[in-house]
Amino acid sequence: MPGERARVELCQSSSRGLWYAYAPMATQISEPKPRVLFTSVCRPFGGPGEGDSVGAELFHAQVTRAQGPFSLRQVIRVWAIDYLAENIEAEAVTMHYPSQRELIKELKTQSYTHIGINFVVATFHKVREMVPLIRKYAPNAKVILGGYGTVLPDDVLKPYGDYICREEGIGFMRKLLGEPLDAPFKHPHAPIPATQVLSYQRRAVVGHVTAGLGCTNGCDFCCTSHFFKQKYVPYANSGRDIYEAFVKTRAQAQADGIAMNGFIMIDEDFFLHKKRADEFLDCVRQAGEPLSLMGFGSVRGLSQFTAREISEMGFDVIWNAFEGRESGYTKQKGRPIAELYRDLKSVGVSQLTSMIIGFPYQDEATIWSEFEALMALEPTLTQCLIYFAFPGTPFHEQVIKEKRYLAKFEDKPDLRRWDGFSMHFKHPNIERPERVEEIQREIYRKDFERLGPSVLRLGRVWLTGYLNLRNDENPLLRKRAERHAVDVRGVLAAISAATVFAPSELARQKAIELRRDIIRHTGELTLKERALETASPFLHLVSLGARAAGVFQQPGLLRTEHRTPGEGRSRNSQRVLRLQGGFESGALGALADDAREIMQQLLAQVLPKHTTAIHEAARVITQHAQSMPASLMVLPQGGPACAGSGG
């Protein structure tokens, strides 16, 4: 599916690749009542050597990364740990993006029998910093390592975890805690903040439902597909299950007094499962209310539906793979992609399109030719990743067999660079590997210059959908057109900033034309809209300054309790805005954390924490082919509780 880097990062923030376990057979011993802490890795992100592609934000880190203050800012929570906490019976707490100070405070004031950490390969260094703190402040707790980072070999991970989770995580946690394996599955209420642009934050949230894990497409570079052995694990067996989960999470937000203005559906290729997607469409039609969805779909899956049907379902943005014209993946077979994109845009559906560079068939001329083909599609959002040999994938095996790893990665693997933004191996047609990274940066820059800010591209597609559907015979699509008319007015302020700070004259003209068309088709500006237009260039400068100074760039802590006293208060939907950091997290506290973390980063540059020992242990991933590690069962099916045992 589209660009494996997104998959690796979204796994940190979604329920794909939840938790997998490795542990010896346990004996029955008396243990305290289980109480579990699930946590992400600690902030800050983007420290020395990390690169800003690894973090709590998907758009800003990987998609709109070159767009400066126009970049879409939205902190993505680690949905995996929300699903785990919701689907066990034991008391549980989730912590999204604590600082080390906040983690220590939690460990000193609360008592846990198990502590699970979700991570990816590129954030393993954070795990190595967190586990000693856990051992010090919660010495009796068992540490569970989970997420895509568990593709690392056991010899690398064992010093840091009592359990290493490598299979579907809800079933594993239930077995570990001695809970019923057939208990009903529940989708958690786990919204995220609405998208922020130019430092302007709407007081609204976006809902989330995971329809399934894994992918059957089996692309050679894709960790998602091979992590699950090319199998699909449904979290919703019917379209009605998915629809009702959306309705339920929105009702919870409304009860908490905040609007939920959209949804994200996590499923690697939702449209490939046609029967379930048809059922979902029927539910939306029966309700007669247009949704606003972001989801994932291949050309193969999308080709099973008309653009109107996809629009009726409620999709506003679909993440789709362009990859490369000669990459030859089966997911790309179907309707001509230019025709597909044109039809989808005509009914208000935007595309987030991923491109991959570094395929063996490519040389520099081929890459730029394919980039021109991508620009002709005019995607609303663009991701460009480097062809990446992720451990456990067929491409990783091939690179090992052909001895193509560069010496600096083979001898001293820096796991922080396992992120899709580094060239790790020799390329047959590009003599200097660093040139691939340079091309990647140029592609992001040229995309911004040619097509302009993505927020304005969204506005153009919304306006197109409004014009084409406002008089449609289908009442559901007419209502969708009415929503697009409202949404497109929301980009007027960003247009004002773009007319001053656009990256090129072409982008500036696109902004001016969009403003003209919005006013012509939807009416003159209100006083509030004029005020926002006046303020937006100033907000652009504020955003630019904050980023340069490194303040208000980190997420804030979101702590949620499950089945514990005070649960109702701690799960209030409005608290989700804390994830976006800044003033929502408390201005003085956020500034203090920023200052402390900047100092820690400066010290880290002087006193590097990455030792030779970890390079030695990690060297196996560049020197030995390995299948995706299998997990050993902690308990036999239906076995007794073994909370905290093993290790």
Side-chain angles (χ1 to χ4, degrees):
M1 266 306 297
E4 179 51 25
R5 174 65 194 132
R7 296 297 162 278
V8 173
E9 277 309 285
L10 204 54
C11 82
Q12 189 187 21
S13 50
S14 82
S15 56
R16 294 191 312 269
L18 291 181
W19 297 90
Y20 291 69
Y22 169 84
M25 192 64 67
T27 58
Q28 296 188 59
I29 58 177
S30 176
E31 291 287 346
K33 182 179 179 181
R35 192 166 190 265
V36 187
L37 171 64
F38 296 108
T39 182
S40 70
V41 294
C42 288
R43 65 176 196 272
F45 297 100
E50 289 183 11
D52 57 6
S53 64
V54 177
E57 298 182 66
L58 173 63
F59 294 121
H60 185 62
Q62 300 174 54
V63 179
T64 56
R65 56 190 285 119
Q67 298 189 19
F70 292 107
S71 180
L72 304 182
R73 307 297 300 267
Q74 185 179 46
V75 172
I76 307 293
R77 67 195 288 164
V78 187
W79 285 307
I81 64 178
D82 294 307
Y83 270 84
L84 293 170
E86 186 72 12
N87 284 281
I88 60 175
E89 296 176 354
E91 291 184 2
V93 172
T94 60
M95 294 181 70
H96 298 267
Y97 312 118
S99 64
Q100 287 191 8
R101 173 181 58 84
E102 289 165 333
L103 176 63
I104 292 171
K105 179 181 177 181
E106 182 74 18
L107 299 176
K108 291 172 68 175
T109 58
Q110 303 292 327
S111 178
Y112 295 103
T113 59
H114 301 77
I115 298 175
I117 307 173
N118 181 286
F119 72 106
V120 295
V121 171
T123 58
F124 177 55
H125 62 288
K126 292 181 176 291
V127 175
R128 295 175 55 234
E129 295 171 355
M130 293 169 67
V131 171
L133 298 177
I134 295 171
R135 300 300 192 203
K136 178 178 180 179
Y137 294 103
N140 295 321
K142 297 299 182 181
V143 177
I144 311 169
L145 303 182
Y148 281 140
T150 61
V151 300
L152 293 173
D154 290 343
D155 289 346
V156 175
L157 298 182
K158 276 183 178 180
Y160 303 98
D162 299 294
Y163 305 105
I164 305 170
C165 303
R166 294 188 181 111
E167 63 182 52
E168 195 284 314
I170 293 172
F172 163 69
M173 286 304 303
R174 287 174 173 174
K175 285 181 284 188
L176 176 64
L177 301 175
E179 297 180 358
L181 299 182
D182 58 352
F185 176 84
K186 296 180 288 186
H187 292 277
H189 175 61
I192 61 174
T195 306
Q196 179 189 105
V197 181
L198 297 174
S199 297
Y200 176 73
Q201 180 65 56
R202 291 186 59 184
R203 295 198 64 81
V205 296
V206 176
H208 153 267
V209 169
T210 294
L213 312 179
C215 180
T216 61
N217 286 319
C219 299
D220 62 344
F221 63 88
C222 181
C223 179
T224 300
S225 188
H226 297 282
F227 199 81
F228 285 92
K229 298 177 175 58
Q230 300 183 49
K231 295 180 181 179
Y232 178 74
V233 182
Y235 267 23
N237 291 315
S238 71
R240 180 158 296 280
D241 290 341
I242 299 171
Y243 180 79
E244 290 179 351
F246 282 133
V247 171
K248 183 178 180 180
T249 192
R250 181 176 58 187
Q252 179 64 56
Q254 292 173 340
D256 290 340
I258 193 166
M260 182 172 282
N261 64 354
F263 304 95
I264 297 175
M265 184 189 298
I266 301 298
D267 190 292
E268 292 295 328
D269 201 346
F270 171 73
F271 302 94
L272 200 59
H273 310 281
K274 189 173 189 305
K275 182 174 183 283
R276 191 181 60 174
D278 281 333
E279 292 172 350
F280 179 76
L281 175 57
D282 288 341
C283 290
V284 179
R285 284 170 170 168
Q286 291 168 15
E289 178 184 5
L291 299 177
S292 176
L293 303 176
M294 175 182 171
F296 303 83
S298 66
V299 170
R300 183 167 64 135
L302 290 166
S303 297
Q304 298 186 108
F305 298 89
T306 67
R308 287 173 61 84
E309 289 172 330
I310 294 168
S311 182
E312 282 185 278
M313 290 180 196
F315 285 94
D316 285 341
V317 178
I318 294 175
W319 197 318
N320 175 256
F322 173 81
E323 313 298 38
R325 285 185 297 189
E326 297 178 37
S327 53
Y329 298 120
T330 57
K331 65 186 179 184
Q332 296 172 297
K333 296 180 179 178
R335 296 181 60 193
I337 192 169
E339 176 187 296
L340 178 64
Y341 276 33
R342 183 180 64 248
D343 288 352
L344 288 171
K345 288 178 186 176
S346 73
V347 289
V349 183
S350 294
Q351 293 76 44
L352 195 170
T353 307
S354 64
M355 177 182 182
I356 292 179
I357 61 175
F359 285 122
Y361 73 83
Q362 292 174 330
D363 55 21
E364 188 165 344
T366 303
I367 291 174
W368 288 117
S369 174
E370 292 186 344
F371 174 71
E372 289 300 324
L374 178 64
M375 289 296 95
L377 297 174
E378 296 189 335
T380 305
L381 302 115
T382 302
Q383 181 195 61
C384 176
L385 300 179
I386 294 172
Y387 193 38
F388 184 68
F390 205 82
T393 62
F395 183 47
H396 178 259
E397 182 178 351
Q398 178 185 348
V399 171
I400 296 289
K401 182 179 180 180
E402 296 174 358
K403 297 182 179 181
R404 289 173 54 193
Y405 266 109
L406 299 173
K408 66 178 181 179
F409 285 107
E410 184 175 25
D411 295 336
K412 292 185 178 180
D414 186 347
L415 300 180
R416 297 171 299 178
R417 303 305 307 278
W418 251 250
D419 63 350
F421 286 82
S422 300
M423 187 65 177
H424 290 184
F425 49 87
K426 304 168 189 173
H427 194 280
N429 301 317
I430 301 175
E431 182 176 352
R432 190 167 59 90
E434 293 81 7
R435 178 56 186 154
V436 179
E437 298 176 16
E438 294 169 359
I439 293 172
Q440 183 185 42
R441 291 191 291 270
E442 291 174 18
I443 284 175
Y444 276 105
R445 178 177 56 81
K446 290 179 179 293
D447 167 80
F448 185 35
E449 292 174 350
R450 295 266 291 273
L451 302 182
S454 286
V455 63
L456 271 60
R457 302 185 220 173
L458 283 166
R460 174 58 71 182
V461 175
W462 288 335
L463 183 62
T464 300
Y466 165 69
L467 295 175
N468 289 335
L469 300 177
R470 58 183 171 175
N471 296 317
D472 197 274
E473 61 183 14
N474 185 325
L476 181 60
L477 293 179
R478 288 200 305 273
K479 290 181 181 179
R480 177 179 171 90
E482 294 170 4
R483 179 172 59 78
H484 283 326
V486 174
D487 291 342
V488 77
R489 304 286 296 194
V491 307
L492 286 167
I495 292 174
S496 176
T499 58
V500 180
F501 298 109
S504 65
E505 183 59 32
L506 176 60
R508 184 175 295 107
Q509 287 302 315
K510 286 178 177 287
I512 293 171
E513 292 171 6
L514 178 60
R515 182 182 186 276
R516 179 198 64 205
D517 292 344
I518 291 173
I519 293 173
R520 181 172 65 187
H521 294 296
T522 66
E524 291 294 330
L525 274 64
T526 65
L527 289 176
K528 179 180 178 180
E529 289 170 339
R530 291 186 184 280
L532 288 173
E533 271 200 332
T534 302
S536 68
F538 172 73
L539 290 175
H540 183 280
L541 295 174
V542 169
S543 301
L544 197 64
R547 186 177 183 186
V551 296
F552 298 141
Q553 301 302 298
Q554 299 294 332
L557 169 65
L558 177 64
R559 180 183 185 276
T560 304
E561 297 182 5
H562 296 253
R563 297 167 300 283
T564 65
E567 173 186 351
R569 293 189 301 276
S570 68
R571 299 183 68 189
N572 186 287
S573 303
Q574 297 192 40
R575 296 184 70 255
V576 170
L577 297 177
R578 293 177 59 87
L579 285 171
Q580 210 76 320
F583 288 92
E584 290 292 346
S585 295
L588 293 178
L591 283 172
D593 273 348
D594 283 340
R596 184 184 300 107
E597 289 157 359
I598 289 170
M599 289 301 298
Q600 289 175 346
Q601 291 174 8
L602 292 174
L603 287 173
Q605 291 177 332
V606 178
L607 302 171
K609 297 181 180 179
H610 294 275
T611 64
T612 301
I614 192 64
H615 290 318
E616 291 285 344
R619 191 177 296 173
V620 65
I621 69 173
T622 62
Q623 296 184 348
H624 301 286
Q626 52 193 304
S627 60
M628 197 63 69
S631 61
L632 301 181
M633 301 299 290
V634 175
L635 287 175
Q637 295 289 332
C642 61
S645 58

